[in-house]
Amino acid sequence: MAEDAGLGDRVTFEVAAAHDFRGGDYDLVTFFDCLHDLGDPGAALRRAEEVLADDGSCLVVEPNVSAEPGENIHPIGRSFASTSAVLCLPAAMAQNGPHALGNHPGPDALAAIAAEVGLHSWKLAVETLTNRIYDVKR
């Protein structure tokens, strides 16, 4: 599709694990609704930190739900909780990593994992009804 759109000289696609993709000096590394699904989100964030340009950012999109289950008693919270139990947690557990976060670990848990690997700035950039979008930097 990239070739057909005339972008073949500027766009490439590769399949790689989040912790060992190639390249470097990226201005932007993105995680769209997936960081919480990884068994080792720290390894993915560590690799992102390694390949970011000096002033690069990670754009992290995560569900807009609370880490406190009682605060998620509304239609969107219920939907995310059920999805977490049947998709997010099993996916992370199957990867045998150090984490199985589910889709609502909360920003503090993710920010702590990011800080462990050198990404100390975790700022909410945009919040929608269903997602929180974070700007994450060194």
Side-chain angles (χ1 to χ4, degrees):
M1 290 174 65
E3 285 288 331
D4 292 343
L7 302 172
D9 62 329
R10 292 170 285 182
V11 178
T12 60
F13 298 90
E14 296 181 29
V15 175
H19 65 275
D20 69 356
F21 59 90
R22 296 186 317 161
D25 205 29
Y26 292 115
D27 293 322
L28 182 66
V29 174
T30 62
F31 295 94
F32 282 91
D33 231 351
C34 65
L35 201 55
H36 64 269
D37 291 327
L38 301 178
D40 194 352
L45 288 168
R46 180 180 302 108
R47 182 64 184 142
E49 190 279 330
E50 292 169 353
V51 301
L52 281 175
D54 290 339
D55 193 32
S57 291
C58 288
L59 180 142
V60 176
V61 179
E62 285 290 315
N64 188 358
V65 290
S66 174
E68 297 298 322
E71 295 177 10
N72 297 322
I73 301 174
H74 49 77
I76 291 173
R78 288 180 188 130
S79 173
F80 281 142
S82 62
T83 302
S84 184
V86 298
L87 178 68
C88 305
L89 286 170
M93 291 175 72
Q95 296 170 40
N96 297 316
H99 298 283
L101 299 173
N103 67 15
H104 47 283
D108 292 343
L110 292 172
I113 292 169
E116 289 175 9
V117 300
L119 295 169
H120 300 285
S121 175
W122 185 279
K123 295 181 182 173
L124 181 64
V126 177
E127 185 172 14
T128 71
L129 186 63
T130 57
N131 290 103
R132 290 184 185 138
I133 303 164
Y134 300 96
D135 179 18
V136 182
K137 295 177 180 258
R138 290 187 183 95

